[in-house]
Amino acid sequence: MTKIAKGKRPVYLDNPQVDKLLAIVMALTGEVSVLHERLDTIERLLEVKGILLPTEIEAYEPDGKVTKEREQWRAEYIARVLRVVQEELETLKQS
C-alpha cells in the first residue's frame, strides 16, 4: 500500500513543474541507489561463495514467466515514479 502525503506539495524552485520533475528524478535516484547497492552485495557474495560468476549473470536468459513478472514489476515501478504526474492529472480532471 502506497503512502500518500496530505496537503500541498512544497515548491522549492520558481517553476512548480520543475519541482515535480525534480521529485521524479530524486525518487528514481533513491530507487536506483538502493538497488545498485543490494545487487552489488548479492553478486559479491555469490562470487565469494563460488556459487555464481559475473559472466553467468550476463549470459542469463529469462523465460516467459520471469519476463511477465518483470513487466508487471516495471509497470508498478513506473507508476510509483510518475505518481506526481498522475496526481496532477487527477486534480485537473476533478476541476
Side-chain angles (χ1 to χ4, degrees), residues 35 75 80:
L35 287 172
R80 285 193 313 273

Side-chain angles (χ1 to χ4, degrees), residues 27-45:
L28 282 169
T29 301
E31 292 274 347
V32 169
S33 177
V34 169
L35 287 172
H36 179 271
E37 191 170 303
R38 292 180 61 89
L39 182 58
D40 180 64
T41 299
I42 291 167
E43 289 180 4
R44 289 173 189 267
L45 288 172

Side-chain angles (χ1 to χ4, degrees), residues 50-85:
I51 297 171
L52 191 65
L53 296 173
T55 54
E56 292 175 281
I57 294 170
E58 296 299 324
Y60 175 73
E61 294 284 335
D63 62 19
K65 181 182 178 208
V66 171
T67 299
K68 284 186 179 191
E69 289 172 356
R70 288 179 177 183
E71 287 172 358
Q72 180 178 347
W73 178 88
R74 188 178 304 112
E76 292 168 359
Y77 175 64
I78 290 170
R80 285 193 313 273
V81 169
L82 296 178
R83 180 181 56 83
V84 173
V85 175

Side-chain angles (χ1 to χ4, degrees), residues 3-43:
K3 293 181 182 179
I4 298 176
K6 305 272 189 230
K8 291 186 176 184
R9 182 174 297 283
V11 176
Y12 299 103
L13 304 171
D14 292 336
N15 184 333
Q17 299 305 324
V18 174
D19 267 11
K20 290 174 187 171
L21 181 59
L22 179 61
I24 291 170
V25 170
M26 293 310 296
L28 282 169
T29 301
E31 292 274 347
V32 169
S33 177
V34 169
L35 287 172
H36 179 271
E37 191 170 303
R38 292 180 61 89
L39 182 58
D40 180 64
T41 299
I42 291 167
E43 289 180 4

